[in-house]
Each structure stands twice: as C-alpha cells, then as structure tokens.
Amino acid sequence: MTELCDLTFAEARKALAAKEFSAVELNKAYLEAMEAARGLNAYVLETPEIALERAAESDARIARGEAGALEGLPLGVKDLYCTEGVRTTACSKILGDFTPPYESHVTSLMRSAGAVMLGKLNNDEFAMGSSNETSAFGTPVNPWRRKGSDAKLVAGGSSGGSSAAVAARICLGATATDTGGSIRQPAAFTGTVGVKPTYGRCSRWGIVAFASSLDQAGPIARDVRDAAILMGSMAGYDKRDSTSVDTPVPDYEAAVGRSVKGLRIGVPKEYRVDGMPAEIEKLWSQGAEQLKAAGAEIVEVSLPHTKYALPAYYIVAPAEASSNLARYDGVRYGARVAGRDITEMYENTRAAGFGSEVRRRIMIGAYVLSAGYYDAYYVRAQKVRTLIKQDFETVFAAGVDAILTPATPSAAFGVGEMANASPVEMYLNDVFTVTVNMAGLPGVSVPAGLSAEGLPLALQLIGRPFDEETLFATAAVIEDANGRFTADRWW
Amino acid sequence: MNAPSKIPASSKLIAGATGDWEIVIGLEIHAQVTSEAKLFSGSSTGFGASPNSHVSLVDAAMPGMLPVLNHECVRQAIRTGLGVKAQINLTSTFDRKNYFYPDLPQGYQISQYKSPIVGEGVVIVDMGEGEQISVGIERIHLEQDAGKSIHDQDPRLSFVDLNRSGVALMEIVSKPDMRSSDEAKAYVTKLRTILRYIGSCDGDMDKGNLRADVNVSVRKPGAPFGTRCEIKNVNSIRFIGQAIETEARRQIEILEDGGAIDQETRLFDPVKGETRAMRSKEEAHDYRYFPDPDLLPLVVEQSEVDELAAGLPELPDDKKARFIRDYGVTPYDAMVLTLERESADFFEQVAKRGDPKTAANWVINELFGRLNKDGTPITESPVSAAQLGGLVKLVADGTISGKIAKDLFEILWTEGGDPRELVESRGLKQVTDTGAIEKVVDEVIAANPDKVEQAKAKPTLAGWFVGQVMKASGGKANPQAVNDILKRKLGI
Amino acid sequence: MSVDENTVRRVARLARIAVADDEVSKLKGELDAILAFVEELSELDVEGVPPMTSVIPATARLRDDVVNDGEDAEKVLMNAPAREADFYVVPKVVE
Ligand SMILES: [Mg+2]
Ligand SMILES: [Zn+2]
C-alpha cells in the first residue's frame, strides 16, 4: 500500500473523487506506514480509531457529493494544537495527560474541510528549540541521512515531528507553528515545504502559546501545491483571537504556477553572513538565477537591522513566554508536584514539569521584564523590532515583491551533536528566519538542492503582509527548477 | 507630587503627644462594572452561582485561550469618566501584571497599567454646613477581578472558585486629597452615588462590588508627605473610616516613639479593630508589567464618547443645584434627596403635585424615616409618589391639618387608596366653618368655668383650651380658627 | 551585563521554579551567555523609535456584552489534578 502514501494531496484528492480507492483505504495505508516508522519518533500519540472513524465519514460525504477541500486526507497535528478529547501536551511533562474539551480554531477549520487526523506530532517542548531535542517525548529522527552514514539526524525544530512525518510520508501534510523559524527550518532540514503565514492570518485560538506576538500557525507539506491547499483550509478570521485579521482567504492553490514575470525579487546583502558555507551561497545565487530565468527581476536590497533581529528575539520571545507559561501551575490541569505550602507546590511543579530549555527561557524572560531592566531590555528590543519592520517596509515600498534568502545556515545536524553547544549557538539556527516573525511577515521555505553530504538545503522567500500568493508563485518556480527531494526509506 | 496645600481646619487634625498631626488619605476604589458578561470572555457575571459555573475556558486560562474585550465594559468606563468630569483617553492599552496566586488562573492580571482609558477628573464632596472639598481623580482603568479562595473549609487546603475570575473592574484612583476619615467616607459615598446614577456599578458593598484600598500617611501640618501604608480590600464605608483612624493612630504612635513607617501593605481586622501587615510582604513585589500581546491597543472614537456623554443622566451635582434653584429646598435637603437617583425622581414626582418645600419635608422626614426603619428600598415604597403628592397637596391647600396628614400617611402605608377619597370617606377634612367651631368652643367654655377664670388671669392657659377643642373635633378643626375664636370668647 | 547567583535565585523565585543549589552556577553561566548575546542591541541608537505594540496595524476587537459561555463546571474542572466537589483544591493559602 505504500504507493498510496506516495501520492500528493492533489493526486490523492483526485483519486478519492474518482473513487479509485476509499478514504478508509488511504488512511489505513498511512496507519500501517506510521506503525512501520515508529522508530522515527515523529508521532507522540497515534489516533487510529479517530482516523478510521473520520475516514469513514469522509467516504460517506464523498459518496453524497459533499466532499470538502481536504476530504479524507490523512494529516498529522503538531502537539501544540489543542484537539478535543485527544491528549495535548506541547511535549511538556507539565501538561501531564491534559485532554482539552475543545478544538483549536485551525484544526476545526481543517476538520470541517474533511481532513482526517492520524495523530499528534512531536515538537520541542512548548515550541522552544531548533532541533526538537527539548521534547519530553524524545527527539524525532530525520528521514534523511548523510551519504554513507547511518548517524541519526535531527528533523529541525520546533516542528520536527511535523517535518519528519511529512518527509517520511507517514502523513500527507501536517500542521506546524512558527515563532522564530519553527516551520521553515524543519522544512528546510527535511526537503519539505513550510509556510509561515502573515501574523494574524491563522487564528491562534486553541494553540498552546509560546510568544503571542510572534506565534503563527502554518503547514508543512510535500510540495508547494500541497502547502497552498493546506494553507487555504488553515487560514481564516476568528473573532475569538483579537489578533486574527478579517480579510478574505484567497485561492492559494491558484497562485501555484502563476507567472513571476516582472516581479522584483530582493536579495538582501546583510544575509551574506560571515562563515556562510559555500554551498549555501551557491544555492542562493542559483535560486536567484532560476527566478530571473522565469522572468523576475533580481535586485540587491538592504535590511540594515538584520543582525539585531536574533538578539531582540531572545528578549521578546522569552519575555512573552515567561508570562504565557505562568498558567502552568498545577492547579487547574496538568501535573502537580506537592510542596509544604502553595509556593513550594508551584516551585516543585514547575521545576519538575518544565525541561531545562524552557526553564532557562522563562528565567531570561522574567529577568528582562523585572524592575530596573525592563526599559534596557524589553522596551529596547521592541524598538529594534520597529526598526526591523521598517527595513522591510522600505524595501517593499521601493517596489520589491518578495525577498529571497537562504532558509538555514546549514543542513540538518546530528542528534546530540549540539549537546555541548551553548544555547546561543543553537539559537543561530534561526538567524535567517527570525526577522520574518519579528516583522509579522509571511515566509516560505522551499527545497532547492542537496548538500555535498546529500542532505536537503532550502531557500526562503519573504513576502509583503498578506501576500502569501506571491510566495507560492515564486516558490513554485524554485521547486520546478530543482525538482522534489525524497528521502530513501531505511526505517 | 508634594503639595503642602493649605493647613486644614484644626477639627481635622489628630492631637498627639508632640502636637497635631494631619492625616493624608488617597483611595483606590475597585468598582465592579455592571455588565452581563466578563471583561474578556462570554461567561456570566451573575452573583451567587454554584462554584466554577460562571467560568469559561478563557477564565480558567486553559492552554491556547485568548481574551476578547467586552465593548460594554469599555462604554461603562467612559461613562464613569464623564461622570467625574475626567479626560477620556481615546487610545489606551492593556498590560499584564504578573504574579502567582491560586485564584489568578493566567498567572497575570490584565490591567491598564501604562495607559488607562480615563485620566484626571474631580469629585466634589459635601461635608455639611456648606463645606465642600474637591477630591482629584488620578485615573480610572479597566482590569480583571480574581477568583475566590476559600480558606476555612479544611485545615490544610484552600478551595478555589473562579466565578469572579475575569469580571470587569474599574479601578478608580484618587489623589491624596482627603484629610480625615469623614472626608474619605463622604468621598466614597459620593462616588458610589455617581456610579449608581450612571449605572456603571451597583455599588453593592455587601457583595464586594465596591471595595477600597486605602492609602494612609500622617505628617505634621504643612510638612511633606509621610511614608504611606496601603490597607487592602476594605469593604464597607464604616470600615474605611475605622481603618483610617486605626492606621493613623498606629503611625503617629510609631513616629512619636522616634520610629519610622515601613511602606507596606496591611489588612484591616474589624473584629480586633487593628491593621496588620500582610504576610506576603517579605516577597518584594515585582509584577513585571508589559503590554499584553494578545490584545491590540484600544481605540475609541470621539463620536462614541460624545454619544455616551449625550446619553448620561443628570448627575447628582447638577440635580442638587437644580433642586435648590427650582424647588427652593435647602442645600442639605437637596443633598439628601439626590443621594440616590430613585429618591430624587420620587421627590420630583411628589413635588410636581404639591408644594415642593412641604414635599421635601415629607419625603425626607416621613417617607425616608419609615423606609429606613423597615429596611425597604424606595423602589418598593408602599406609598407611591402619586399618593404622597396627593397628601402634600391636601396639606398645602389646607384641606387637612399636619396631624391628620400623619394619620392619612399611616392609612396610605398600610391600606393604600387615593388620598382625596380617603379624606372624603373618612371625614378627615379640616373644619374651617367658624359656626361649627364656635359651637364646640362654647361647649368647652361652658364645661370648664374654673379654667376660664384662670385663663383670663394667665393667657398662656389658652393653649389648654385649644387642645380640648381640637380633641372634641377629632383633630379636624382648623387650629388657627380655633385660636382666634377662643381668644375672642375668653377676652384675652 | 552579567548576573550574580543571588539574582539567579531571585529570578527563579519570581518565576516559581525551584532551583537546587548546585544548579545555580550553571544557570548563572547560561544566563550570562544569553545576556552577553543580546548586549549587541545596546550599540543601536533607538532614541525616538516607538516600541512595537502590534506587528499588524490593527486595534482592539470588541465583543458584544452577551453571555454565551461558561455554565459547564465539569468542562473546566475535568483536568484538575485535585478537586473537592466543584472546587479546585490547593495547599492552604495563608494571608
Ligand atoms: Mg491597588
Ligand atoms: Zn486594581
């Protein structure tokens, strides 16, 4: 049945409509593939009963001619999304067996479009990480391996379960979230396509918060068209999220294949960072050539505050996180560790429940907000954010339609390889992606080649606010020029 | 902010061993906003529900839940601001105040710390005998209430009920403009009146819908401000007064013993009649305020403020001035009549039907007295404004005497009915027919020849005759006519 | 900017995270490294730059004053680690 799992969204949708196979058959194939791939540790919870039940409902709707946009398609859900009646943990011990009596807005939309949930996907604890090694459930394994090596590689983070599962074809597509690069970096590490939409495009309601002003939901899929289809069902206004934007959802799929002729693509000089590997440099200029060949105009642009984005991010994100994670106190849900009094109960619960990276970020956040430091750190970082956003506004105002950059400074690294690195070295993984979150812009990561070691490398396209369509159009050009990248099955 | 204003009247000073002390008081009033739903969620604000029933996923701070602002709470805050003649800030923001407490599910309170919706205003407070003080309003901001912890159910456990969690509060912060417990009590009373007029808070202190944090310091008159202590959550006007007195005396005692005041948060224990430091004080508070990233800045249009201003009811100060001007009632009576909007409306209904001054007298003395005694609110008065107005009219036009009027009031209170018809059917009408009165006078004189002699010698005894005549007439004789006829017949 | 061990303890206390004595110096090192990293921002002149309040140009959304939520205590209590009837239960809080 593996052939079924090789179909893309678009292909599977067509076959289901033509009744070449049923949604139940398609989902069964995926459930089998998931079982065979347990060694990858992509799923933290498999929900086969739910999958088969919903698949059967999909078949009934298809038979009645009432199929939705995602009808019967087997998807994985990052464990940061609350799923009604299904354990949701953000891959943290502190949530214990928390079972939400509610469904996130985004997964509700997908469900009403007919999507089937196969299970919950691994992620860094509370989405804090760039390799998925902070998960309480262990690290998911990248389906890709270096040429001639069987060393296990990370699938990126924080949405490492999503990227690993999509790349391993144990789900057709997956939901993910991106606070500083958590969709685009794992997509880049696994040869998949990841979309971080404009802030406010997808509702945050029902998604465990990390840093509220930066968090955004988005898809990881096998190719650009699939990502566009999935994105179309995840996006939408939600009156329950005050930061959700009430603007119509365009037909993203229609943008795939749209001509890029005449588009002005900016290449920011500040992204040419010291020590950038030659192969990344080459990938980048090659991508620019490919867009040029398709009729786009390539212009050098300047985003002068780029180098301040990551330090500012490591103030703003922990500050918001320290407050967002205060609710995990062992009172209303989640795990509790006893103490002699209420304060000790809080301290014990949170010391045992949070992993070391989460504890570290909460403490940094509490520190930069504390009396005497607030202006020097938090306010300054938010001012820098204004400058970063203005950089982009200036470039877009000059007529640039999208910006092309590398997605990551390197290919996937080995599990445990960064164990002795300082937290800061790990943070540098997000150097190209984090500016996009700081400015609230849309960004897409699209595979563009393989490294000398045979690992996927990706480019990033950054767009104007709410202009995801241009990103799908330009990403499709890169994708068409370089082909798709699939990991050999070894598991 | 250190304005050693005018030296207050000595009656407001406290005598200490080292001389007089002046108390400086500022109040932070937490007033529950009148609304159906909570500030950031759609659950009910209703009082007295079973535990954790008026709680939404947002109020319980479930993962991924987000706040959305209730428009009506914003409007109520604006109305209140207009009611205290304050600046309305068209742009305001919400911040998070971070601290851990079991009845604070989010681990932070959403509050308008940096940019409140209402800025500076003023409340004019009557202190009696023509004295008025004006108390500055520093700001009014919107914030969430916390839930409730119950500590007396179990020796080792506290029980948490989140029904109040997320209910909208207005924190009304005064300037340190009060100088005695009486001023503070009068200010709270006046503020409560304004809130109730506007309908933005019901002012029900028994339900905790209006509570005060009282900032108290003492100083030698004219000296710079002393170190203040904040007494948290005082929930009755009487206790506010007691807490201030107690705390001021405690501070004076410390200072006169050569000690210094620690700036701290204290609690008032009305049973022991003392304030004590809260235990959590050793924990240096560091609330780590920052703008709530889940909420965008609140922007209000001037047109909406104008519309709310146009829809405001007549405020107590304006109403009071009008009563004095249009009805000729005394400032004191006008103040009493305008304390509650319902009472003022009632008075106006009565005054419309009869003489306003008589009406004021009857409403304040007879009606309020009786309602207070029975604990009945004016809205449930057994005697309607129309009835009392009818009575006042009968008194004013001389149809009944004051004494009969009191009997008539009693009948209206217990049995009801139309005043004029009752006067007719029960024969309560005042007798002004001099012939009829003369007849009674003659009878009384004939029956008391000895008293007649005494009265001729000592004219003040005529009063005794008046009483006898009134008694014989069943109180219906016109007292003036009786007096005139008696004097003539007795030749005095 | 670097922190001392007392600051580490104070911040851990603010964040309600128990920190064992032997963790303090390691945490101090990590916090110092992160603070050194973000120190780069201090070289920027941000005078007169407004701090970002919202990454999207929008203002507060307002909700009608309608009761349409709550009234299901079980829903909010079902995940509680400890409860007594319809109350959440915590170690006694003394004030
Ligand atoms: Mg206060
Ligand atoms: Zn307050």
Side-chain angles (χ1 to χ4, degrees):
Chain A
M1 292 297 265
T2 31
E3 322 82 75
L4 284 190
C5 300
D6 292 335
L7 302 174
T8 64
F9 250 112
E11 291 161 350
R13 190 175 55 184
K14 208 167 137 203
L16 281 173
K19 305 202 171 62
E20 288 170 32
F21 47 79
S22 69
V24 168
E25 286 169 318
L26 177 65
N27 280 277
K28 272 189 174 152
Y30 270 95
L31 291 169
E32 278 169 32
M34 281 163 70
E35 211 176 314
R38 278 187 188 149
L40 296 180
N41 198 28
Y43 283 89
V44 294
L45 184 73
E46 296 177 3
T47 55
E49 296 83 4
I50 291 176
L52 292 176
E53 192 190 310
R54 291 188 191 164
E57 289 165 12
S58 285
D59 282 330
R61 279 193 293 271
I62 292 168
R64 289 198 303 270
E66 297 166 3
L70 303 178
E71 199 62 65
L73 300 177
L75 301 174
V77 174
K78 187 177 183 179
D79 206 26
L80 225 59
Y81 289 68
C82 289
T83 41
E84 187 175 358
V86 176
R87 189 193 70 188
T88 300
T89 68
C91 295
S92 178
K93 282 197 286 186
I94 205 155
L95 270 151
D97 286 324
F98 177 66
T99 304
Y102 53 96
E103 181 84 17
S104 83
H105 184 75
V106 167
T107 47
S108 294
L109 286 178
M110 292 166 65
R111 250 193 97 175
S112 22
V116 173
M117 179 173 75
L118 295 170
K120 301 299 287 287
L121 293 163
N122 211 334
N123 52 253
D124 275 302
E125 183 180 6
F126 284 104
M128 296 181 194
S130 303
S131 62
N132 213 322
E133 290 171 287
T134 72
S135 166
F137 294 97
T139 308
V141 178
N142 195 329
W144 289 85
R145 299 200 286 199
R146 292 181 186 118
K147 254 184 246 163
S149 160
D150 58 6
K152 288 180 176 173
L153 305 182
V154 302
S158 67
S159 309
S162 302
S163 63
V166 172
R169 304 196 165 176
I170 52 175
C171 62
L172 197 38
T175 71
T177 62
D178 191 316
T179 304
S182 280
I183 291 176
R184 291 157 290 159
Q185 184 255 21
F189 277 13
T190 53
T192 55
V193 175
V195 183
K196 183 264 168 200
T198 311
Y199 186 80
R201 181 68 284 185
C202 294
S203 168
R204 293 182 295 117
W205 194 92
I207 299 174
V208 174
F210 161 15
S212 309
S213 74
L214 301 158
D215 294 347
Q216 198 41 213
I220 292 181
R222 265 174 231 175
D223 64 17
V224 175
R225 180 175 297 276
D226 282 9
I229 295 170
L230 201 42
M231 176 70 198
S233 293
M234 294 174 75
Y237 170 65
D238 179 8
K239 61 180 173 13
R240 296 171 299 180
D241 174 358
S242 297
T243 61
S244 156
V245 175
D246 191 4
T247 163
V249 178
D251 182 353
Y252 295 123
E253 194 183 354
V256 180
R258 199 160 85 179
S259 167
V260 300
K261 197 167 255 150
L263 289 186
R264 281 165 72 90
I265 307 295
V267 173
K269 59 180 186 211
E270 291 81 5
Y271 279 61
R272 221 166 291 275
V273 295
D274 288 345
M276 184 191 279
E279 57 186 5
I280 302 271
E281 187 111 27
K282 189 167 154 255
L283 188 86
W284 191 10
S285 48
Q286 190 182 296
E289 286 307 316
Q290 290 161 351
L291 287 169
K292 198 170 166 185
E297 183 193 348
I298 306 297
V299 290
E300 191 186 71
V301 297
S302 174
L303 298 166
H305 296 93
T306 297
K307 73 166 182 162
Y308 302 107
L310 204 53
Y313 174 85
Y314 275 95
I315 292 171
V316 173
E320 292 182 8
S322 73
S323 178
N324 281 338
L325 270 57
R327 65 187 57 199
Y328 304 101
D329 59 5
V331 175
R332 296 164 314 287
Y333 44 79
R336 173 187 290 196
V337 179
R340 273 170 310 182
D341 56 21
I342 181 80
T343 299
E344 211 182 88
M345 184 206 93
Y346 286 148
E347 291 179 341
N348 292 347
T349 296
R350 290 164 62 80
F354 292 134
S356 60
E357 179 65 21
V358 173
R359 289 201 302 264
R360 185 154 54 229
R361 294 204 198 183
I362 290 175
M363 287 185 58
I364 279 288
Y367 179 76
V368 299
L369 289 176
S370 66
Y373 299 103
Y374 176 73
D375 288 325
Y377 287 111
Y378 186 78
V379 175
R380 174 169 285 263
Q382 289 288 36
K383 288 180 171 188
V384 171
R385 222 177 143 181
T386 300
L387 295 173
I388 292 166
K389 187 163 189 254
Q390 285 170 356
D391 283 355
F392 282 105
E393 285 167 352
T394 306
V395 167
F396 289 132
V400 167
D401 297 291
I403 294 164
L404 180 72
T405 77
T408 56
S410 74
F413 47 86
V415 173
E417 238 172 56
M418 298 280 279
N420 294 317
S422 77
V424 173
E425 282 176 74
M426 195 59 137
Y427 298 166
L428 290 172
N429 264 292
D430 296 329
V431 67
F432 298 134
T433 48
V434 77
T435 49
V436 171
N437 301 77
M438 294 300 269
L441 301 172
V444 57
S445 161
V446 58
L450 294 178
S451 71
E453 291 174 309
L455 298 178
L457 294 172
L459 292 172
Q460 172 178 240
L461 285 146
I462 303 168
R464 298 164 184 266
F466 298 100
D467 187 16
E468 283 81 1
E469 289 166 282
T470 296
L471 298 187
F472 286 122
T474 45
V477 169
I478 305 272
E479 181 178 69
D480 285 347
N482 299 297
R484 288 164 175 73
F485 302 90
T486 309
D488 292 332
R489 193 156 175 252
W490 52 265
W491 53 91
Chain B
M1 255 203 343
N2 217 342
S5 52
K6 61 179 180 11
I7 310 268
S10 61
S11 64
K12 289 185 177 154
L13 300 176
I14 295 190
T18 60
D20 286 344
W21 292 86
E22 182 188 6
I23 317 179
V24 176
I25 305 152
L27 292 172
E28 291 162 28
I29 305 280
H30 283 97
Q32 181 178 326
V33 176
T34 300
S35 65
E36 297 295 323
K38 294 182 179 179
L39 183 55
F40 295 114
S41 81
S43 53
S44 168
T45 58
F47 183 79
S50 61
N52 289 306
S53 59
H54 289 343
V55 180
S56 75
L57 299 166
V58 176
D59 308 323
M62 292 283 160
M65 290 301 102
L66 299 167
V68 181
L69 184 57
N70 183 336
H71 194 181
E72 179 60 14
C73 297
V74 173
R75 292 168 68 89
Q76 292 286 41
I78 295 171
R79 285 189 190 103
T80 306
L82 293 168
V84 297
K85 314 268 187 276
Q87 164 79 34
I88 306 300
N89 296 323
L90 296 181
T91 299
S92 60
T93 55
F94 289 91
D95 301 283
R96 292 183 181 180
K97 177 181 183 178
N98 294 284
Y99 65 97
F100 287 87
Y101 204 78
D103 59 22
L104 186 74
Q106 296 163 137
Y108 53 83
Q109 179 197 35
I110 305 176
S111 177
Q112 297 191 294
Y113 174 68
K114 201 165 172 229
S115 311
I117 184 159
V118 178
E120 295 193 344
V122 68
V123 175
I124 305 294
V125 184
D126 277 307
M127 295 307 300
E129 281 148 41
E131 189 199 346
Q132 283 191 334
I133 58 164
S134 65
V135 176
I137 299 294
E138 181 73 38
R139 58 187 280 157
I140 301 176
H141 64 253
L142 281 166
E143 64 183 24
Q144 300 175 294
D145 203 353
K148 214 182 174 105
S149 299
I150 301 162
H151 308 302
D152 55 6
Q153 296 284 307
D154 187 291
R156 293 164 304 110
L157 302 172
S158 290
F159 289 59
V160 181
D161 172 13
L162 299 179
N163 280 346
R164 278 193 89 102
S165 166
V167 167
L169 301 177
M170 291 178 284
E171 184 172 328
I172 305 166
V173 182
S174 85
K175 298 196 171 181
D177 286 351
M178 289 153 280
R179 293 293 177 271
S180 70
S181 58
D182 283 343
E183 289 187 357
K185 288 194 291 184
Y187 162 73
V188 177
T189 305
K190 180 61 178 286
L191 190 62
R192 184 175 176 275
T193 296
I194 294 170
L195 295 172
R196 288 173 53 83
Y197 263 63
I198 290 167
S200 61
C201 170
D202 68 10
D204 191 335
M205 298 187 88
D206 293 338
K207 290 180 184 159
N209 293 353
L210 192 78
R211 26 193 223 271
D213 296 342
V214 188
N215 287 294
V216 179
S217 65
V218 298
R219 64 175 175 185
K220 287 294 171 76
F225 285 144
T227 304
R228 66 189 164 86
C229 288
E230 182 179 10
I231 310 158
K232 281 273 178 204
N233 257 326
V234 190
N235 59 10
S236 86
I237 292 181
R238 192 160 57 94
F239 290 163
I240 290 171
Q242 290 174 5
I244 292 168
E245 296 285 337
T246 310
E247 176 60 16
R249 283 177 201 286
R250 184 188 73 87
Q251 293 184 14
I252 291 169
E253 210 166 290
I254 291 172
L255 293 169
E256 294 199 326
D257 284 350
I261 306 299
D262 292 330
Q263 180 162 351
E264 62 187 2
T265 305
R266 302 179 67 84
L267 283 177
F268 177 63
D269 182 337
V271 179
K272 291 187 184 151
E274 62 180 31
T275 68
R276 60 178 165 82
M278 286 175 78
R279 290 191 192 213
S280 52
K281 74 160 186 176
E282 95 270 4
E283 168 98 18
H285 286 300
D286 188 341
Y287 292 123
R288 289 157 287 139
Y289 287 99
F290 75 107
D292 191 328
D294 287 331
L295 292 163
L296 298 163
L298 169 61
V299 176
V300 180
E301 300 292 335
Q302 183 60 45
S303 57
E304 183 170 22
V305 176
D306 295 343
E307 175 226 317
L308 289 168
L312 277 190
E314 185 182 28
L315 293 168
D317 288 343
D318 300 331
K319 205 182 275 290
K320 186 186 148 198
R322 184 167 60 82
F323 281 13
I324 296 168
R325 189 181 66 234
D326 292 1
Y327 297 121
V329 300
T330 65
Y332 179 80
D333 283 358
M335 191 269 283
V336 174
L337 288 169
T338 55
L339 223 43
E340 298 278 348
R341 191 170 160 183
E342 291 80 5
S343 312
D345 289 348
F346 194 102
F347 162 73
E348 287 206 85
Q349 293 297 314
V350 176
K352 239 169 42 188
R353 292 173 166 81
D355 169 58
K357 281 185 184 170
T358 315
N361 192 29
W362 273 87
V363 168
I364 293 171
N365 296 318
E366 298 304 322
L367 183 70
F368 288 179
R370 188 62 185 266
L371 290 171
N372 278 346
K373 207 176 100 196
D374 289 19
T376 309
I378 184 112
T379 47
E380 286 161 35
S381 170
V383 178
S384 72
Q387 286 172 317
L388 192 59
L391 179 150
V392 168
K393 191 169 166 38
L394 291 169
V395 176
D397 66 15
T399 307
I400 56 172
S401 67
K403 186 180 175 303
I404 290 293
K406 290 192 183 182
D407 296 341
L408 177 60
F409 181 80
E410 190 59 34
I411 296 167
L412 291 172
W413 184 277
T414 49
E415 300 169 36
D418 177 70
R420 194 164 289 277
E421 278 168 20
L422 283 169
V423 166
E424 290 295 338
S425 64
R426 305 210 179 175
L428 303 173
K429 217 171 187 162
Q430 186 157 255
V431 180
T432 41
D433 170 1
T434 45
I437 295 172
E438 270 195 57
K439 197 174 154 248
V440 181
V441 170
D442 287 344
E443 282 167 18
V444 173
I445 288 176
N448 299 287
D450 48 334
K451 296 257 190 224
V452 172
E453 287 314 309
Q454 289 173 23
K456 279 180 173 164
K458 201 178 171 201
T460 51
L461 274 180
W464 181 85
F465 281 95
V466 174
Q468 294 300 306
V469 173
M470 291 305 290
K471 202 168 161 188
S473 75
K476 284 175 283 182
N478 182 318
Q480 195 53 50
V482 172
N483 222 7
D484 294 348
I485 294 167
L486 260 171
K487 279 184 175 165
R488 181 163 44 83
K489 299 243 169 187
L490 293 171
I492 53 174
Chain C
M1 187 72 71
S2 79
V3 295
D4 58 21
E5 296 198 349
N6 272 338
T7 305
V8 173
R9 286 198 175 84
R10 183 178 62 80
V11 171
R13 170 88 178 174
L14 265 183
R16 294 290 186 273
I17 295 174
V19 173
D21 286 341
D22 56 356
E23 288 176 279
V24 173
S25 76
K26 182 167 177 275
L27 270 169
K28 176 186 149 34
E30 290 170 351
L31 298 195
D32 280 345
I34 297 169
L35 292 173
F37 173 58
V38 304
E39 193 57 35
E40 198 172 357
L41 296 185
S42 59
E43 73 190 39
L44 259 182
D45 180 9
V46 293
E47 190 62 36
V49 178
M52 183 170 283
T53 46
S54 155
V55 79
I56 41 167
T59 56
R61 175 150 311 129
L62 297 167
R63 188 169 46 78
D64 288 341
D65 184 27
V66 176
V67 175
N68 54 14
D69 209 343
E71 307 315 310
D72 188 349
E74 202 46 43
K75 207 167 168 175
V76 294
L77 286 155
M78 59 185 286
N79 280 288
R83 65 187 276 191
E84 197 69 60
D86 279 350
F87 290 99
Y88 296 105
V89 166
V90 296
K92 190 160 194 101
V93 180
V94 194
E95 188 35 79

